[in-house]
Amino acid sequence: MKKFSSIFLTLIFCAATFGQNPVATLDLSNYGVTIQPDKRLMTVLASLEAIGVETNLSSKGEEFSRTLEKDLAEANPELRRKLKIFVDQYAERLARRYKDDLSAQITNENIRKEMLEDFDSFFAKYSRGLTAEEKKSYGKKYEPFMNQVISPFISMAYTLSPFPALDEPERSLDLPAELLEVLDYSILVREFYRTKGMAEKLDTYYKMNQEVGDKMRPEAREMVRNVLDYLHTRPELTFKEKIKTESKKGKKTLTSYETVYRDRSFSIVPEILATKGTINFLNIRDKYFAVVPPETDLSSSDVRRGFLQFVLDPLVIASSKNVLVHQKEIRSLLNDRRTDGSNVSPDPFLAVSRSLVAAVDAREKQFRKEQAATAQARRILPLQESDAKKKEVIAELNRVKQIVDDETLLQLSERYKKGAVFAFYFAEKLRGIEDSGFDIASSLDDWLISLKPLEESNRLSQYSAEIKRANAQREREGIIVVEERILVENPLTEKLLRVEKLTDAKKFGEAQIQLEKLLVENEGNLLEQARINYALGRMVSQSAEGISDAEEVSKRLLKATEYYKKVIQSIEPKTDRALISSTYFALGRIYEFSGQTDYAIKIYDAALNLGEVEGGAYQQAFDAKNSLIKK
């Protein structure tokens, strides 16, 4: 895992592995997470594909669609006709509602007429089947509508009984209206599954989907690890509920309470036929499902937000009494958003839960980006040959941090408008505990007790300047990317930065050859040789990452220690205090990792004695020493 911590990245290996096996693999099942296909969903989507329901598939999905077309060539034509009639009728009803919504949203009569005519033209072509060119033309504009056609059928799949019975649930008012509208499709799904040879084909399709899921596993582990590392918590895997029961004994009514425990789980469902770039997220009581198409980046998609919801929902439920205290004011705040035209749920619990998810989502991304940018700056600073160049690096770091902060505020504003009205509030609270190691579960009660809902009404105006700046940045650059920049013209510095990239790419052999060559080229120049030895120490330290042989790890870290000692021995602190400061800190981390705590503290003290020199490691040494003292 790439873990960006607050320590200098020179010894990222040591920082991530004190006392632990550096290559231990995170077991997703310990956190309630599974990655596996679902034959109920596969059957439903295959039935829709069999009648040509329009979807925007991934390249793998398109290939699989052609396989399905061949496999279903001899399917019962009468069954296909019934499947198509059902879906077409639903699509027509949805189209009427879609047009009604358009009419309600657009006040200009000419624009409204033009848009309705365009939709009618699209829907006529959609109903008879879009050509490749039409799909390309209408794809982005009406993709939300096409997704809405499929969405309730996906929900319906998860109401069916386990495979192969596929029985539908009893109808009740608890079921969403859009689900009730398509529930009878389950009868046709069972008939489709019982088509000759379909069961065997589904076994093959299942394996294909499982292969897609297996490729997602490393990303899923990193996503889970990063989220839980940020929150300093573990997800609740059981939900305890007291159920009230009443019984008659003669004329008396006896009341008793039974404690019921239910398992909670988060399922990542790989599905080749899922719409490209679209995550269908379902929450059915204690079961959370994220239906994921191939080629999905789990760390930046709605899968991550779904997992956040899985982790945070129980915390909000556990603090329900503190939400109820504010429910009147929360509803008032939500009503203001609804007055502004936002489609916002009036549920106070939903507002708190979604706000917490939005805040964690935005703040964790900012936290990681700032760590990455700071780590880059700390790697570059010791390689600069003048204070002026070091100041340029610091100025660039501050510029990047402002861009990232503005982008976070913009993201919070977007979620605020959709009903996450406490997103800004929770983001501020998170900022205060990110480096503390506190479990978020221990803080939420206090946050809710301190909440003043009506004070959140002016958040958009409060950050209007930052939001405007972030919008302008998006228009200029699209996506914020933190990049290393060579800010100097010194030939050695440029060569060292190129070697840094080799080290980061784990091309340690090439890096060592280049650095040893530079040592020869700069023989006699003590300052330049010190900088090269520092780079060698970092490279050897990082080469120990991921090695399970403890003896080999010790050998490499001992070699790194020798390089760092050469830095200290070759130049005076007054020559380059920043380089010496960073070197002391790096040495301290090695001794700490090796269990020599007392000596590590003395090394950290040496870094602290140099003071808060620009580009040095004063704060990192201070934090590391305090952490050791508290143990």
Side-chain angles (χ1 to χ4, degrees), residues 269-328:
V269 185
E271 178 49 65
I272 297 174
L273 290 177
T275 304
K276 178 182 178 181
T278 300
I279 309 299
N280 283 277
F281 180 69
L282 300 93
N283 176 202
I284 305 170
R285 295 195 74 177
D286 304 296
K287 309 297 181 186
Y288 295 68
F289 301 93
V291 179
V292 184
E295 302 159 17
T296 297
D297 178 3
L298 300 187
S299 63
S300 62
S301 72
D302 283 337
V303 177
R304 182 173 166 281
R305 279 185 284 276
F307 182 68
L308 282 173
Q309 187 175 327
F310 170 69
V311 174
L312 297 172
D313 278 354
L315 306 186
V316 175
I317 292 171
S319 301
S320 58
K321 64 180 185 297
N322 294 317
V323 177
L324 288 172
V325 168
H326 301 299
Q327 63 176 324
K328 186 176 179 181

Side-chain angles (χ1 to χ4, degrees), residues 415-477:
R415 303 298 288 276
Y416 180 95
K417 292 173 184 177
K418 294 178 180 178
V421 288
F422 305 115
F424 289 99
Y425 174 78
F426 287 131
E428 289 172 355
K429 295 296 183 183
L430 286 163
R431 188 189 290 268
I433 68 164
E434 283 168 339
D435 289 316
S436 69
F438 291 158
D439 185 335
I440 188 176
S442 65
S443 305
L444 188 57
D445 272 335
D446 289 339
W447 294 354
L448 289 171
I449 289 169
S450 304
L451 179 65
K452 297 177 181 177
L454 298 184
E455 290 186 4
E456 300 303 306
S457 61
N458 69 336
R459 288 292 193 170
L460 297 181
S461 58
Q462 179 182 348
Y463 294 110
S464 60
E466 291 87 345
I467 292 168
K468 183 179 179 180
R469 210 161 50 214
N471 270 316
Q473 182 70 25
R474 275 191 188 177
E475 289 177 11
R476 283 195 301 271
E477 299 184 12

Side-chain angles (χ1 to χ4, degrees), residues 218-368:
E219 256 188 27
R221 288 195 189 103
E222 185 159 355
M223 181 266 293
V224 168
R225 196 193 305 267
N226 282 341
V227 166
L228 300 184
D229 178 61
Y230 177 76
L231 293 173
H232 306 293
T233 195
R234 292 178 66 93
E236 296 286 343
L237 301 186
T238 57
F239 181 75
K240 183 172 72 172
E241 182 180 21
K242 284 189 175 181
I243 298 177
K244 180 180 177 181
T245 59
E246 294 182 345
S247 59
K248 290 282 187 181
K249 189 172 182 181
K251 294 184 178 180
K252 290 185 178 180
T253 300
L254 301 179
T255 301
S256 61
Y257 292 89
E258 178 186 2
T259 301
V260 175
Y261 294 88
R262 300 196 303 267
D263 291 335
R264 302 182 70 248
S265 62
F266 182 83
S267 299
I268 298 173
V269 185
E271 178 49 65
I272 297 174
L273 290 177
T275 304
K276 178 182 178 181
T278 300
I279 309 299
N280 283 277
F281 180 69
L282 300 93
N283 176 202
I284 305 170
R285 295 195 74 177
D286 304 296
K287 309 297 181 186
Y288 295 68
F289 301 93
V291 179
V292 184
E295 302 159 17
T296 297
D297 178 3
L298 300 187
S299 63
S300 62
S301 72
D302 283 337
V303 177
R304 182 173 166 281
R305 279 185 284 276
F307 182 68
L308 282 173
Q309 187 175 327
F310 170 69
V311 174
L312 297 172
D313 278 354
L315 306 186
V316 175
I317 292 171
S319 301
S320 58
K321 64 180 185 297
N322 294 317
V323 177
L324 288 172
V325 168
H326 301 299
Q327 63 176 324
K328 186 176 179 181
E329 290 179 319
I330 293 175
R331 286 202 173 98
S332 174
L333 183 59
L334 292 170
N335 284 336
D336 289 343
R337 297 299 325 138
R338 292 164 70 86
T339 303
D340 289 345
S342 303
N343 185 16
V344 174
S345 168
D347 185 342
F349 288 96
L350 199 59
V352 170
S353 175
R354 297 304 171 264
S355 296
L356 190 56
V357 168
V360 173
D361 183 35
R363 271 301 305 167
E364 192 214 338
K365 288 177 184 174
Q366 179 176 4
F367 185 64
R368 303 290 178 201

